[in-house]
Amino acid sequence: MKIKLISAAVLAGLLFGSQAAVAEESLLWALMTPLRQKELVPVENKLYKQECGACHFAYQPGLLPGKSWQKLLTHEALLDHFGEDADLDQESLKEIYDYALANAAEKSYHKRSRKIAISTAEGEPPLRITEVRYIKRKHHEIPDKMIRGNKKVKSLSNCNACHTQAAEGVFDEDTVSIPNYPKY
Ligand code: HEC
Ligand code: HEC
């Protein structure tokens, strides 16, 4: 009888203990909900916005994992950046590198960044956002004529051609409008 009582107490302790842990965890998640629902942190660094928004949309650092930014943001890589010279002086490179690394996908709890971090956790780090599996999957049904064959888009890399609130970090389906194909 005594043994039974003790084991019941132990069992109860285990049960309530683990329940408390579960409650704590879901409370943590509940507290983070606004972060998880907000899609992506917009670009806040002025230098990044200016230098990395000169030729194309200033991609939010949260769109790639840190290991991708580490590959993209060296003098050597920037000298031949997708066929263009996008090299920076030492001081600017350091500021942009530090900013990108601090805000990379895996550093963020925001929805899109979480998905991108998970999607790139294994394998070679992608050099393009458009090569991230999650991003590829979201676009593979769009016919090529609406992207490359579309003078107002030209490349899937031009996020803001279709995502009307891309600069605010919003990529939700409801905010998409493909130029020349408004009904897509
Ligand atoms: C001199 C012009 C130029 C500058 C400056 C520049 N880029 Fe690019 N970038 C390009 C071109 C061209 C591409 C390829 C676009 C394409 O394939 O449609 C590209 C592509 C990219 C891609 C891949 C996009 C994709 O396809 O997913 C990333 C990421 C990127 N740039 C980041 C940066 C960052 C960060 C900076 C600032 C350090 C920067 N770029 C500055 C010209 C530039
Ligand atoms: C040709 C227009 C076009 C371009 C360019 C484009 N997208 Fe999209 N994107 C779409 C469409 C359309 C959808 C909705 C797909 C669907 O039906 O779920 C989408 C979906 C997404 C989603 C998922 C949204 C959701 O609610 O699930 C993300 C994230 C996204 N795009 C990011 C990007 C990024 C980042 C870029 C640039 C590197 C980009 N897109 C370039 C058209 C585009």
Side-chain angles (χ1 to χ4, degrees):
M1 188 64 200
K2 213 176 180 183
I3 292 172
K4 259 193 188 161
L5 264 180
I6 292 171
S7 55
V10 168
L11 193 66
L14 276 175
L15 269 176
F16 288 118
S18 65
Q19 240 166 25
V22 168
E24 229 167 74
E25 194 165 299
S26 49
L27 178 65
L28 194 65
W29 274 106
L31 287 172
M32 288 192 312
T33 297
L35 285 177
R36 282 186 290 127
Q37 283 176 345
K38 237 190 129 217
E39 298 197 9
L40 207 75
V41 185
V43 174
E44 282 144 2
N45 183 289
K46 263 195 189 157
L47 187 68
Y48 183 96
K49 210 182 264 181
Q50 185 187 312
E51 298 291 347
C52 305
C55 301
H56 48 63
F57 171 65
Y59 306 110
Q60 288 89 353
L63 287 170
L64 281 175
K67 56 188 181 180
S68 296
W69 292 122
Q70 278 175 337
K71 279 189 145 186
L72 282 161
L73 298 174
T74 66
H75 287 301
E76 206 186 1
L78 286 174
L79 277 168
D80 183 7
H81 175 78
F82 305 95
E84 303 263 348
D85 179 353
D87 197 18
L88 297 160
D89 62 77
Q90 187 57 38
E91 210 179 306
S92 304
L93 178 58
K94 186 177 187 315
E95 180 173 335
I96 286 173
Y97 180 94
D98 290 348
Y99 170 68
L101 267 285
N103 292 280
E106 75 277 14
K107 296 281 169 63
S108 170
Y109 283 104
H110 290 64
K111 184 168 155 187
R112 303 295 175 208
S113 294
R114 296 301 312 144
K115 305 244 182 184
I116 289 169
I118 292 165
S119 184
T120 54
E122 281 166 24
E124 272 293 294
L127 292 178
R128 286 177 177 269
I129 299 149
T130 49
E131 275 169 7
V132 172
R133 249 182 305 135
Y134 164 70
I135 296 290
K136 271 166 104 169
R137 180 157 48 79
K138 286 287 177 183
H139 299 95
H140 76 186
E141 281 173 12
I142 308 172
D144 202 43
K145 65 166 189 202
M146 297 188 188
I147 305 174
R148 273 187 288 181
N150 188 341
K151 280 199 185 112
K152 288 194 171 155
V153 181
K154 288 196 190 118
S155 160
L156 188 62
S157 309
N158 290 326
C159 318
N160 57 332
C162 305
H163 291 277
T164 58
Q165 294 178 31
E168 289 93 83
V170 178
F171 289 90
D172 197 87
E173 293 174 39
D174 305 344
T175 61
V176 176
S177 171
I178 304 181
N180 296 322
Y181 299 91
K183 291 212 179 84
Y184 177 78

